[in-house]
Amino acid sequence: MAPHLSDIAHAVARGERSAAEVIEASIARIEATDTRVNAFTGRRFEAARAQAARIDAQRARGEPLGPLAGVPFAVKNLFDIEGEVTLAGSKVNRSHPPATANAVLVERLQAAGAVLVGSLNMDEYAYGFTTENTHYGPCHNPHRLGHVAGGSSGGSGAAVAAGQVPLALGSDTNGSIRVPSSFCGVWGLKPTFGRLSRRGSYPFVNSIDHLGPFADDLDGLALAYDALQGPDPLDPGCFATCVQPVTRSLGQGAQGLRVGVLGGYFVEHASAPAREAVALAAAALGASATVAWPDAAQARAAAFITSASEGGALHLQRLRTQAADFEPLSVDRFISGALQPAAWYVRAQRFRRVYRDKVNALFRDWDVLIAPATPVAAPPIGTEWIEVNGQRFPCRPSIGLLTQPISFAGCPVVAAPLWPDGTDGLPLGVQLIAAPWREDLALRAGWALAQAGVAQVREPTL
């Protein structure tokens, strides 16, 4: 199996591998597999080679290297890349001028030595859970071609799962990091709402949007997260005031953590394999108590209303003049969102204030809470309905049944890759949920699962 993110970072730091060698291996893997996976929508191979050469020259001069020196990464194509058009998965944006600067998070990874190799497929304007993109083609799950990779950051999850890059950036409004992580069997982190700068990324729902990393190992996920952190006074949606490193505390694992398992709504909307994934994680973390998450169904409804209203308002003018150029799978939802009564949105926001207080109160008694990440494993591309515990649900919106209530509260979540029985060999992840601003606790729980071999990234048979 190819070296993981943390292995690459350590090997380059010790001089055991050159950055150029690592980048050539990543480029070769992308060229060998992406005609089948369709994760990439843009490639920056020559720029990557030039950056790798600069890193190797730094080492030759005896200069210190960043903590991610030589690590290849790619970004969901809603992140600005200097000199390129920010597509956000759309056809409409093709006529936009190229970005004049990199997104803040792209800059931070490059400052840490990571090497950008390209941009990644996604649901148009981040409104979807499957990355069945009509304009750029569907993204395929590396563990089962012909099945969805999840969305809206499907290209990010698939690129990491396919071994094309060990690190990718995505966004998560209603589950768009956690769903691809679950379906593709990789690690993902949705940080606390407002933790990471969103400057230089194309928005979907400003009041819920999060940005975060995918990685092929937990240690690497933590390394990347530390590099991404920092205040941004130019982003009014970034509330971080300092960097709070997490890598130093990983080795504490689950020791001393109060870990519970979400019941009720999170059991009723989970298939048998999803429930088994939770049981495996709970056993490894010593969690036996069932915890009731407040108002989950109402929170999901409020998240839908908020997403539709803000998304529809953002694209209203384009919907009036260019509706035919929108993604057929989402254009009706954008239009209906733009037509929603304002009173619905106001009620959803009022509920949210009360809801967050109820959720935050849970963490007086618990440090980490476990829930399934998706109701089912990745369905085939084109699936219209899924069945969960005898109930039939429309597939595309219902993939977020278990993620939407969590992000609406703004809590940080680590998505851990598990492989329960009953999925025909596909992964199905769990969410490790912590109190706002306590990413360190969720990552410690993830580290414990990785050390126990319960959560792991497996090489696909591409």
Side-chain angles (χ1 to χ4, degrees):
M1 191 166 182
H4 292 310
L5 193 165
S6 61
D7 298 326
I8 292 170
H10 294 147
V12 173
R14 292 190 294 259
E16 296 167 1
R17 296 186 76 187
S18 69
E21 177 190 353
V22 172
I23 293 307
E24 290 303 330
S26 176
I27 290 171
R29 180 68 174 174
I30 293 165
E31 290 178 330
T33 59
D34 207 52
T35 53
R36 286 165 285 164
V37 177
N38 195 33
F40 279 79
T41 53
R43 301 180 180 189
R44 291 176 55 84
F45 293 167
E46 291 313 308
R49 288 179 169 121
Q51 187 184 348
R54 290 194 293 272
I55 292 169
D56 289 334
Q58 279 181 271
R59 162 167 289 289
R61 293 192 297 267
E63 297 174 6
L65 301 181
L68 295 173
V71 173
F73 79 102
V75 301
K76 188 175 183 175
N77 69 29
L78 56 67
F79 286 84
D80 287 352
I81 298 173
E82 184 179 3
E84 297 191 7
V85 175
T86 305
L87 294 171
S90 72
K91 177 181 178 182
V92 173
N93 281 25
R94 291 176 191 169
S95 60
H96 288 195
T100 57
N102 289 328
V104 169
L105 297 192
V106 174
E107 287 286 351
R108 287 181 178 171
L109 288 183
Q110 289 184 317
V115 180
L116 179 65
V117 297
S119 51
L120 299 164
N121 205 350
M122 59 178 284
D123 286 293
E124 183 184 69
Y125 294 126
Y127 207 174
F129 284 124
T130 59
T131 312
E132 295 170 285
N133 191 300
T134 300
H135 311 306
Y136 303 99
C139 186
H140 290 254
N141 193 311
H143 292 286
R144 186 72 49 78
L145 298 176
H147 286 236
V148 300
S152 61
S153 311
S156 302
V160 173
Q164 297 171 334
V165 288
L167 172 64
L169 291 182
S171 68
D172 189 311
T173 302
N174 291 304
S176 293
I177 288 173
R178 292 159 290 161
V179 166
S181 295
S182 177
F183 282 177
C184 292
V186 299
W187 293 94
L189 171 63
K190 182 201 79 64
T192 304
F193 178 72
R195 168 71 87 174
L196 299 182
S197 174
R198 299 183 300 193
R199 186 156 54 93
S201 65
Y202 200 93
F204 172 30
V205 183
N206 270 316
S207 70
I208 317 179
D209 288 347
H210 308 64
L211 304 180
F214 294 77
D216 64 2
D217 71 335
L218 190 281
D219 296 79
L221 187 74
L223 272 176
Y225 171 62
D226 279 352
L228 293 166
Q229 286 192 60
D232 183 3
L234 298 181
D235 178 3
C238 181
F239 309 126
T241 58
C242 62
V243 174
Q244 296 178 304
V246 298
T247 50
R248 290 195 299 263
S249 65
L250 286 182
Q252 297 175 36
Q255 183 178 359
L257 293 185
R258 301 166 299 170
V259 184
V261 178
L262 293 186
Y265 175 94
F266 293 90
V267 173
E268 296 161 10
H269 296 92
S271 64
R275 297 194 301 274
E276 185 196 336
V278 168
L280 290 169
L285 296 175
S288 57
T290 300
V291 180
W293 185 276
D295 302 331
Q298 296 93 318
R300 180 172 181 254
F304 261 127
I305 290 168
T306 301
S307 299
S309 292
E310 291 192 33
L314 177 67
H315 296 287
L316 181 57
Q317 186 54 41
R318 287 178 287 274
L319 288 165
R320 285 173 170 155
T321 59
Q322 296 176 267
D325 291 331
F326 274 70
E327 167 63 66
L329 293 174
S330 60
V331 64
D332 290 347
R333 284 181 286 150
F334 276 124
I335 292 171
S336 64
L339 297 173
Q340 275 184 176
W344 291 11
Y345 181 81
V346 171
R347 287 185 65 186
Q349 295 307 302
R350 286 176 176 164
F351 165 79
R352 189 179 187 185
R353 292 181 64 86
V354 176
Y355 172 67
R356 282 188 300 199
D357 288 343
K358 289 183 179 180
V359 168
N360 290 343
L362 286 178
F363 294 103
R364 296 172 192 157
D365 301 315
W366 303 100
D367 296 308
V368 174
L369 297 170
I370 308 170
T374 50
V376 295
I381 291 169
T383 297
E384 296 295 338
W385 297 90
I386 57 173
E387 187 170 301
V388 182
N389 298 333
Q391 288 185 280
R392 199 165 178 250
F393 296 95
C395 177
R396 294 182 185 93
S398 301
I399 286 170
L401 273 164
L402 304 170
T403 51
Q404 284 179 282
I406 312 302
S407 43
F408 200 62
C411 295
V413 185
V414 168
L418 273 76
W419 303 80
D421 292 333
T423 62
D424 197 20
L426 288 169
L428 203 166
V430 299
Q431 300 181 82
L432 304 172
I433 307 155
W437 311 104
R438 295 310 307 265
E439 287 85 353
D440 60 315
L441 302 182
L443 286 160
R444 281 175 52 191
W447 189 87
L449 292 182
Q451 292 300 113
V454 172
Q456 57 183 268
V457 173
R458 296 181 181 176
E459 190 167 6
T461 53
L462 282 172

